[in-house]
Amino acid sequence: MAEFTMELNDEQKEVRDWLHGFAADVIRPAAAEWDEREETPWPVIQEAAKVGIYSLDFYAQQYFDPTGLGIPMAMEELFWGDAGIALSIVGTGLAAVGVLANGTEEQIGTWIPQMYGDASDVKVAAFCSSEPDAGSDVASMRTRAVYDEAKDEWVINGTKTWATNGGIANVHVVVAVVDAELGSKGHASFIIPPGTPGLSQGQKFKKHGIRASHTAEVVLENVRVPGSCLLGSKEKLDERLARARERAKAGGERVKNAAMATFEASRPAVGAMAVGTARAAYEVALDYAKTREQFGRPIIDNQGVAFQLADMATSVDAARLLVWRASWMAVNGKPFKAAEGSMSKLFASETAKKVTAQALQILGGNGYTREYPVERMHRDSAIYTIFEGTSEIQRLVIARTLSGMPIR
């Protein structure tokens, strides 16, 4: 087991500097354009693929870093560049995590490479869990998967929403209800291969922030997939459902569902994204405060500004440490006894919103214009307190974990 440390090793520093260079030289110069266009930045994703950032190998190396810091370090640097473009680059990772968390070795080897494609033919993937009437309330999910035993196929019907890369993805990972009586414990995840009849893109959303990331509805109408597209196996699913039924009868412990397994694994990574955006806004504000003069001196000479910057820097560092701790715990198999994963996501998300707002305030009227990036960063930061579990849901998870009570 790797010792917990706040010092990156030489290899990690080299990767961090490489990512930072890509974010500074490729992502940032393109950020304003793709934010305005509100389109997937395919040329930037292709550049990331050419240098090896958008690839299965790169994310596997970071995912299996024994210190647990590979993924959060990568997320922070890319999102320091721009949240919308970075999410377009890393959005496939959520679907990949869904397969890694629930799939067999054969499924992992078969489907994850198809999610990325290669530098000459870039692909993306989508993880589809949320629905119009079931966001945080996963127990209200209506998408159904019914097993056709005669053909060894699953038939899936429903509508998913807020899906990153939804409809444009080569591979979709869809969470569906297989036993409605078990609520959130009766869910399973399915691979929808490319070109499967019955899957279509619904509404594409025009968003407040992260505009370069494609977000849309995914409509499934009598979508048929082979039995092998059930993540895991039918045998293991039947065993899990049987245990859930027994526990339900006995009023026993809660059983994690497929979507929650994915979200738990990704929450510290989302926290790292928020850290990247917060750090970027802080750095812009710091540079501005040192060069902007009012009343004959730089505005950082005023305590009102300097103290804000001190608080911003402290919050960014604290958020990073919570993310690193949770990431280290996860990779070393340490249970989140105090909901450390949710803690990291909650604090980092709220920090991003606060720090970007403070940065905008320090820049004053300039910060409110699109001539400076903090306006975009402030819009982008709002998503961190919403997706993959709102701040309210994170607080609920933390409170339930600490108290052991079914707080509602």
Side-chain angles (χ1 to χ4, degrees):
M1 180 174 65
E3 294 294 327
F4 178 72
T5 176
M6 292 181 287
E7 182 68 26
L8 298 177
N9 59 41
D10 290 341
E11 182 179 350
Q12 290 169 327
K13 289 178 182 177
E14 185 177 342
V15 173
R16 178 199 61 193
D17 294 344
W18 171 53
L19 291 169
H20 186 79
F22 183 85
D25 298 338
V26 181
I27 294 178
R28 279 205 169 178
E33 175 188 352
W34 291 100
D35 177 71
E36 291 288 346
R37 291 175 63 166
E38 298 191 52
E39 298 174 359
T40 300
W42 290 108
V44 183
I45 299 174
Q46 189 167 33
E47 286 301 311
K50 286 179 180 178
V51 300
I53 293 174
Y54 186 76
S55 70
L56 171 60
D57 288 344
F58 173 73
Y59 286 106
Q61 289 173 9
Q62 305 315 310
Y63 187 83
F64 292 110
D65 181 340
T67 69
L69 302 185
I71 289 293
M73 176 190 66
M75 295 300 107
E76 179 177 338
E77 293 304 329
L78 292 173
F79 280 74
W80 172 89
D82 176 68
I85 292 178
L87 190 57
S88 289
I89 293 173
V90 308
T92 293
L94 186 58
V97 168
V99 176
L100 287 168
N102 302 295
T104 64
E105 289 187 11
E106 182 179 357
Q107 289 170 329
I108 291 169
T110 298
W111 295 111
I112 293 184
Q114 295 187 49
M115 293 179 174
Y116 289 94
D118 55 47
S120 62
D121 186 18
V122 177
K123 305 293 185 183
V124 294
F127 182 76
C128 308
S129 177
S130 294
E131 298 184 1
D133 296 317
S136 298
D137 182 14
V138 293
S140 296
M141 191 176 293
R142 295 180 181 178
T143 298
R144 296 289 188 267
V146 178
Y147 185 57
D148 183 342
E149 189 170 359
K151 295 184 178 180
D152 185 27
E153 291 181 339
W154 289 90
V155 184
I156 306 174
N157 284 280
T159 299
K160 295 295 181 178
T161 194
W162 310 122
T164 299
N165 298 329
I168 66 170
N170 193 48
V171 176
H172 291 77
V173 177
V174 173
V175 181
V177 177
V178 294
D179 189 327
E181 293 183 359
L182 293 175
S184 63
K185 294 180 278 292
H187 295 175
S189 291
F190 299 86
I191 291 284
I192 312 297
T196 300
L199 184 147
S200 62
Q201 178 183 308
Q203 175 186 6
K204 178 187 174 182
F205 296 102
K206 297 181 72 66
K207 305 187 299 295
H208 175 66
I210 55 168
R211 294 176 178 176
S213 174
H214 176 97
T215 310
E217 290 181 332
V218 174
V219 180
L220 304 113
E221 296 179 304
N222 292 320
V223 171
R224 283 184 169 268
V225 297
S228 59
C229 285
L230 166 69
L231 286 180
S233 69
K234 182 68 164 56
E235 181 181 6
K236 289 187 176 180
L237 172 63
D238 290 341
E239 291 175 357
R240 178 168 64 81
L241 295 176
R243 289 196 302 270
R245 293 185 192 103
E246 289 300 317
R247 288 184 175 122
K249 289 178 182 177
E253 61 185 282
R254 295 166 57 90
V255 179
K256 294 175 185 174
N257 63 71
M260 290 301 102
T262 301
F263 291 142
E264 283 190 9
S266 63
R267 276 174 180 159
V270 176
M273 298 173 188
V275 172
T277 300
R279 186 184 117 209
Y282 158 73
E283 290 176 0
V284 171
L286 177 63
D287 289 343
Y288 184 88
K290 290 192 291 186
T291 57
R292 171 68 167 171
E293 291 191 2
Q294 289 286 279
F295 305 106
R297 61 180 183 175
I299 62 174
I300 198 170
D301 280 356
N302 299 298
Q303 285 188 0
V305 173
F307 285 7
Q308 278 196 77
L309 288 163
D311 287 344
M312 292 159 72
T314 301
S315 295
V316 171
D317 275 7
R320 182 185 298 110
L321 289 174
L322 282 171
V323 166
W324 282 17
R325 179 185 68 169
S327 300
W328 174 82
M329 291 176 68
V331 81
N332 285 287
K334 291 187 173 293
F336 289 161
K337 293 183 179 179
E340 288 87 350
S342 289
M343 282 185 180
S344 70
K345 200 265 186 185
L346 170 65
F347 189 81
S349 298
E350 295 292 342
T351 292
K353 283 188 66 175
K354 181 178 179 181
V355 166
T356 56
Q358 289 174 305
L360 194 153
Q361 188 70 22
I362 289 171
L363 269 67
N366 285 329
Y368 200 66
T369 71
R370 295 188 183 180
E371 296 299 313
Y372 288 79
V374 293
E375 178 272 340
R376 185 179 66 252
M377 294 170 182
H378 184 51
R379 285 189 285 109
D380 290 342
S381 70
I383 195 59
Y384 300 125
T385 64
I386 297 171
F387 72 175
E388 294 198 47
T390 65
S391 287
E392 291 73 23
I393 288 296
Q394 306 308 323
R395 292 184 175 99
L396 186 63
V397 170
I398 295 166
R400 284 175 173 173
T401 303
L402 294 176
S403 68
M405 301 296 289
I407 299 169
R408 297 184 181 277

